[in-house]
Amino acid sequence: MSTLSSSILTPNTMFSSTDSSPRFWRDARMPYVELRHISDARQICYAPHSHSHWSLGAVTAGRSTFCYRDASYRIQAGDMVMMNPHWVHACNPIESQPWAYLMLYIDAEWLSQLRYQLGLLDAPEWQDISTAVVTQPNLYTEYCDMAACLLDDQQAIGDKQMVLRECLSLMMQALAQDPPVILPQVSCELEKIAAYLRVNCATDISLERLCQQSGYSAGHLIRTFKQHFGLTPHAYLINQRIQMGQQALKQGQPIVEAALNAGFNDQPHFQRTFKRLVAATPNQYRHSSSK
């Protein structure tokens, strides 16, 4: 990374407080990235969920449990975790032990373009990354310096863009030698059901309707859908609604409007579900340090 990072606060000075409130950084001039950081995550619990973007996190203090698809990992300060788009995951405290973390959310199309420009992909199309946990001090330091740069209000936007690109380029090159991901084949019927849920998540969709579309019985549909996507059709639908709500809140929509537009009947239901999947309230998420 450039010498710019040498003037930035170190992780130890940045994350030494006991503030348990999650904080989010984003900038309209960099719409392809969002950063979450929290200094005291003992009470931060996630239900299993997924995102449409690629995520890269770093544990900056303490220890926690990282559940990713069918595997579970004990991670600690200095470890980095990564999550492919649409892969179900959750990261939670260990018996209320203190821990702190940073989490970067990157637009998959933007990252695909970067990997293609680096010569790591044959085409600028998303390709899953097989690695789940990385413990490499040099990459960890680069990541923390990059996060500090993004969070620093005194840094110019051009410097933030450069540092982010340099950090992710190093990470992608380090991961390039990993074996490709080979996932079980999924039927066209299940893919169509998932696509239908994504497009129509704000509407009421019954299990009976999904069974009619797929030709599956209710039990078979639920079982096979969860086996491939990590969530039942209903949980997948709710997960999509929360992602829609997040996008609305990013754009400054009032919470009640975001809730109704995402298919929730009332604001309290939206708030409870949002906190369960995002581990933050809609108000905390909406009032970020965005520009």
Side-chain angles (χ1 to χ4, degrees):
M1 188 174 290
S2 69
T3 56
L4 174 70
S5 62
S6 63
S7 64
I8 299 173
L9 293 174
T10 64
N12 288 335
T13 58
M14 285 174 54
F15 306 103
S16 59
S17 74
T18 57
D19 186 3
S20 61
S21 300
R23 302 183 186 279
F24 300 86
W25 173 89
R26 47 186 175 262
D27 191 305
R29 295 166 294 182
M30 297 174 66
Y32 44 84
V33 61
E34 179 177 83
L35 178 68
R36 175 190 181 117
H37 65 109
I38 185 165
S39 301
D40 183 0
R42 283 174 291 182
Q43 304 302 318
I44 303 297
C45 294
Y46 292 89
H49 63 286
S50 64
H51 311 287
S52 60
H53 43 248
W54 186 72
S55 307
L56 176 64
V59 181
T60 57
R63 303 166 61 194
S64 67
T65 300
F66 173 47
C67 297
Y68 190 41
R69 289 179 70 88
D70 298 326
S72 180
Y73 307 84
R74 287 294 179 99
I75 54 176
Q76 60 187 355
D79 288 339
M80 301 179 65
V81 298
M82 52 203 70
M83 290 135 274
N84 288 316
H86 310 299
W87 284 32
V88 172
H89 59 275
C91 203
N92 292 310
I94 301 174
E95 298 176 352
S96 297
Q97 292 184 31
W99 72 296
Y101 68 92
L102 291 156
M103 186 63 68
L104 191 71
Y105 307 99
I106 297 289
D107 180 78
E109 290 186 8
W110 184 89
L111 187 56
S112 295
Q113 285 286 347
L114 176 62
R115 295 166 72 188
Y116 176 68
Q117 292 165 7
L118 293 171
L120 305 177
L121 294 178
D122 295 332
E125 299 175 356
W126 178 256
Q127 188 176 102
D128 285 332
I129 295 170
S130 59
T131 303
V133 179
V134 169
T135 304
Q136 293 190 29
N138 61 320
L139 293 177
Y140 174 80
T141 299
E142 291 284 345
Y143 180 95
C144 290
D145 284 345
M146 174 273 298
C149 180
L150 295 184
L151 294 167
D152 188 349
D153 292 337
Q154 303 305 312
Q155 295 293 343
I157 188 65
D159 292 332
K160 294 185 179 188
Q161 292 168 337
M162 176 188 65
V163 169
L164 174 71
R165 186 181 182 90
E166 288 181 354
C167 177
L168 290 176
S169 294
L170 286 173
M171 179 64 66
M172 293 301 103
Q173 290 167 336
L175 297 171
Q177 302 305 315
D178 292 348
V181 176
I182 301 177
L183 295 176
Q185 291 292 322
V186 62
S187 68
C188 292
E189 288 78 14
L190 285 182
E191 289 286 9
K192 289 178 181 178
I193 290 297
Y196 180 80
L197 291 172
R198 289 194 295 271
V199 173
N200 300 282
C201 65
T203 64
D204 290 330
I205 301 175
S206 67
L207 181 60
E208 290 75 16
R209 184 188 304 178
L210 299 180
C211 290
Q212 291 174 358
Q213 291 184 2
S214 64
Y216 292 164
S217 67
H220 183 62
L221 175 59
I222 293 173
R223 183 172 59 255
T224 55
F225 193 95
K226 185 175 182 180
Q227 184 177 15
H228 182 77
F229 293 102
L231 299 169
T232 66
H234 178 71
Y236 190 89
L237 173 71
I238 298 302
N239 189 78
Q240 294 298 316
R241 286 180 175 178
I242 291 300
Q243 290 187 57
M244 178 179 287
Q246 284 182 270
Q247 289 298 320
L249 294 174
K250 282 184 187 180
Q251 296 166 6
Q253 279 191 19
I255 295 174
V256 63
E257 184 177 334
L260 295 176
N261 289 342
F264 290 89
N265 294 327
D266 54 63
Q267 182 175 336
H269 184 203
F270 174 66
Q271 290 185 238
R272 290 193 301 271
T273 308
F274 192 98
K275 187 171 183 180
R276 186 168 60 87
L277 297 184
V278 183
T281 67
N283 193 53
Q284 288 171 331
Y285 186 76
R286 187 169 181 269
H287 291 89
S288 69
S289 55
S290 56
K291 296 291 185 181

